[in-house]
Amino acid sequence: MRINLPQTIENLLSLLHSAGFEAYCVGGAVRDSIMGVAPGDWDITTSALPEETREVFKDYKTIDTGIKHGTLTVIIDHTPFEITTFRIDGDYEDNRHPQNVEFTRNLEEDLARRDFTINALAYNHMHGLVDLFGGQEHVYNSIIKTVGDPDKRFQEDGLRIMRALRFASVLGFTIEEETADAIHRNKYLLKNISAERIAVELTKLVCGKNVFNILMEYPDVLSVFIPEIEPAINFTQYGKKHAYNVWEHICHTVDTIPQDKILRLTMLLHDLGKVPTHKLNDKGDSTFKNHAMVGGEIAKEILTRLKFDKKTINRVSFLVSYHDFEPVESKIELKRHLKTKTPEDIRTLLTIKKSDRGALSESYRDISEQTAKNLQWLKEIEDNNECCTIKDLDITGNVLLNAGFSGKKIGEALEKALDAVIEEKAPNKKADLLTYLL
């Protein structure tokens, strides 16, 4: 097969070939090209040693990105390209990084050290596709399989476990049986991986198109770094509104909400407050009083532990805390919510509720009509700049101060005025509000 290479990549390969070295595009770019997906970036591997690569590109700016591991970055037209020498990895004593690397002139030795067959593909126009481990067939058949012994691959680098799950989710692939068994066997290795790296892979995983199958098949793996998941697995929800156990419900909601980082993380964590708040009522039905607020605290603790950024932590924990928001029955009721929430909050919570309700029993799922009404009211409120917050009032604290109010009475009066406007007991006009308050 022939892969269309960007002209710059062809030039880089040509310069290395002209200097007497082997050079290939390798890894994800080759895989994506076979799949008909435009690669995001291109990696090059070569038989040239780092100092030889530097000499080949002496007329260009180069950066010693990871020179001890054989990687040199060449800058062309302000764009960086990584070129790495064929290598053999030494022992992985920390289950993450090789203690040392040995450079080689043999492409096969380099490809044999890679994680998955779909990433152990090399290509140049001269030799075509180099596929020593069946990677092309696995791409065509949507299979994730390690290069060689899966236990060895994962024990070398525990992060490969999360990479396998992420690739399967994002690409829509299935993990081959022996590789899958090794993932379950070696899941404990994830304890040795930094929280930051786990967070990156988890985010990509939950945003994948095959996320449902991965979450359903590997909750034990996720529980290694999110132990709060484990109690939810197989936790029965009793009552006619429930169609699934807690974890199954979570998996369905993640799958049906848009592929957005915040939304997907919210749904992954939204019902982890159910187990600690579960009780049975006198009918034998499950109740989960205050589980959303409890879940919000759990979500905050999990995301903080995984070292997510503060913006993500705060947004997801807020959405989990209020995910039980239901479409309201009147415009006035919606305005009451807008006292403490933004229009964007309401829209997001309605999106969350659609997925949440969609994973209940069939008779409880459809809230499209109520949601449409809420969105229509929200649009009217925004279009007409209708008063929903104290800052929207036609009076201020200073006006009330001049009218004889003082101390905490000012705040109480502003709240009373806002309620009056929202409930249509008084128009949002200074004179009318003062009359109402006095």
Side-chain angles (χ1 to χ4, degrees):
M1 68 176 300
R2 184 177 178 83
I3 291 175
N4 290 325
L5 303 179
Q7 188 59 53
T8 304
I9 297 298
E10 289 195 30
N11 293 344
L12 289 168
L13 295 175
S14 179
L15 285 169
L16 287 162
H17 291 155
S18 297
F21 301 108
E22 293 182 58
Y24 299 84
C25 297
V26 70
V30 181
R31 177 199 69 227
D32 290 347
S33 296
I34 293 172
M35 294 176 64
V37 176
D41 53 57
W42 295 81
D43 292 326
I44 292 175
T45 188
T46 180
S47 61
L49 299 175
E51 58 270 24
E52 293 170 335
T53 302
R54 188 185 290 109
E55 178 62 22
V56 171
F57 296 100
K58 62 185 178 182
D59 294 331
Y60 298 89
K61 180 180 179 181
T62 59
I63 302 172
D64 293 351
T65 313
I67 203 68
K68 75 173 185 176
H69 292 103
T71 301
L72 189 76
T73 297
V74 178
I75 309 297
I76 298 179
D77 295 331
H78 308 289
T79 303
F81 297 92
E82 287 192 354
I83 301 176
T84 303
T85 301
F86 299 163
R87 75 184 198 210
I88 304 168
D89 291 340
D91 293 334
Y92 287 73
E93 294 184 2
D94 64 352
N95 302 121
R96 182 69 185 97
H97 305 97
Q99 291 294 102
N100 55 70
V101 300
E102 178 185 340
F103 298 135
T104 176
R105 303 286 188 179
N106 188 314
L107 174 64
E108 181 175 355
E109 290 179 321
D110 180 84
L111 296 178
R113 71 176 175 82
R114 296 178 181 268
D115 51 7
F116 307 110
T117 61
I118 62 171
N119 295 333
L121 297 164
Y123 176 86
N124 64 30
H125 288 328
M126 188 183 308
H127 296 96
L129 182 68
V130 179
D131 177 14
L132 305 177
F133 304 101
Q136 184 178 20
E137 180 184 352
H138 294 153
V139 171
Y140 288 148
N141 291 303
S142 302
I143 292 171
I144 303 293
K145 185 181 188 303
T146 58
V147 174
D149 177 21
D151 289 304
K152 180 181 179 182
R153 287 285 89 89
F154 294 134
Q155 287 162 17
E156 286 172 343
D157 181 356
L159 187 63
R160 287 171 174 166
I161 291 172
M162 285 300 292
R163 282 170 58 81
L165 301 189
R166 185 250 291 183
F167 282 128
S169 179
V170 171
L171 299 175
F173 283 19
T174 299
I175 300 176
E176 177 265 340
E177 185 176 356
E178 289 186 7
T179 302
D181 289 344
I183 286 174
H184 291 294
R185 278 195 302 273
N186 293 282
K187 62 189 178 185
Y188 67 92
L189 294 170
L190 291 172
K191 293 179 179 179
N192 301 330
I193 306 302
S194 72
E196 293 90 344
R197 295 307 301 268
I198 293 286
V200 169
E201 295 296 334
L202 178 65
T203 300
K204 293 176 181 178
L205 187 164
V206 297
C207 290
K209 59 187 177 184
N210 191 32
V211 64
F212 177 79
N213 289 328
I214 299 306
L215 293 181
M216 286 291 291
E217 292 174 26
Y218 299 93
D220 59 316
V221 177
L222 302 185
S223 294
V224 172
F225 53 89
I226 307 179
E228 295 86 348
I229 285 175
E230 189 170 5
I233 305 168
N234 298 320
F235 192 93
T236 301
Q237 303 184 93
Y238 297 98
K240 62 182 181 180
K241 71 183 288 187
H242 300 294
Y244 309 107
N245 67 43
V246 172
W247 182 246
E248 289 170 340
H249 170 83
I250 287 173
C251 294
H252 280 282
T253 63
V254 175
D255 186 44
T256 56
I257 208 158
Q259 290 169 271
D260 169 83
K261 168 186 173 180
I262 296 297
L263 293 177
R264 287 284 174 102
L265 287 172
T266 296
M267 300 323 291
L268 179 69
L269 307 176
H270 84 283
D271 269 354
L272 296 184
K274 278 189 168 179
V275 176
T277 60
H278 179 258
K279 290 184 179 180
L280 294 175
N281 63 19
D282 54 6
K283 296 180 181 178
D285 293 339
S286 293
T287 65
F288 307 97
K289 186 178 179 181
N290 207 34
H291 82 277
M293 285 295 176
V294 171
E297 289 303 312
I298 292 173
K300 187 177 225 178
E301 182 178 332
I302 290 168
L303 296 177
T304 301
R305 188 169 69 233
L306 293 178
K307 299 191 182 334
F308 277 86
D309 61 277
K310 286 186 178 180
K311 184 177 179 181
T312 297
I313 294 170
N314 292 337
R315 187 60 176 165
V316 171
S317 59
F318 168 82
L319 293 173
V320 171
S321 296
Y322 291 98
H323 79 266
D324 256 359
F325 174 86
E326 295 276 358
V328 296
E329 297 299 322
S330 71
K331 189 175 180 180
I332 288 176
E333 192 177 352
L334 185 59
K335 285 185 177 183
R336 291 195 190 106
H337 281 287
L338 287 168
K339 288 172 63 176
T340 56
K341 300 178 183 70
T342 68
E344 184 57 32
D345 290 339
I346 299 296
R347 288 190 183 90
T348 303
L349 289 170
L350 287 171
T351 298
I352 288 169
K353 183 51 61 176
K354 178 182 177 183
S355 291
D356 199 9
R357 288 282 289 269
L360 297 179
S361 296
E362 190 168 351
S363 60
Y364 291 85
R365 291 177 183 175
D366 187 9
I367 55 170
S368 54
E369 185 176 341
Q370 304 97 304
T371 299
K373 283 183 181 178
N374 279 236
L375 293 173
Q376 179 184 341
W377 289 329
L378 195 60
K379 186 176 186 305
E380 290 173 3
I381 290 168
E382 290 183 296
D383 289 347
N384 299 328
N385 293 315
E386 296 180 36
C387 177
C388 297
T389 65
I390 286 175
K391 69 180 178 59
D392 298 328
L393 287 170
D394 198 36
I395 57 170
T396 64
N398 286 333
V399 170
L400 293 176
L401 184 65
N402 293 332
F405 291 84
S406 62
K408 67 178 184 179
K409 295 292 185 182
I410 292 176
E412 291 171 356
L414 288 170
E415 286 287 347
K416 184 177 179 181
L418 178 59
D419 288 339
V421 172
I422 287 175
E423 294 168 14
E424 300 178 356
K425 295 177 180 178
N428 189 23
K429 300 293 183 184
K430 182 164 66 174
D432 293 294
L433 291 173
L434 284 174
T435 299
Y436 178 82
L437 294 171
L438 295 171

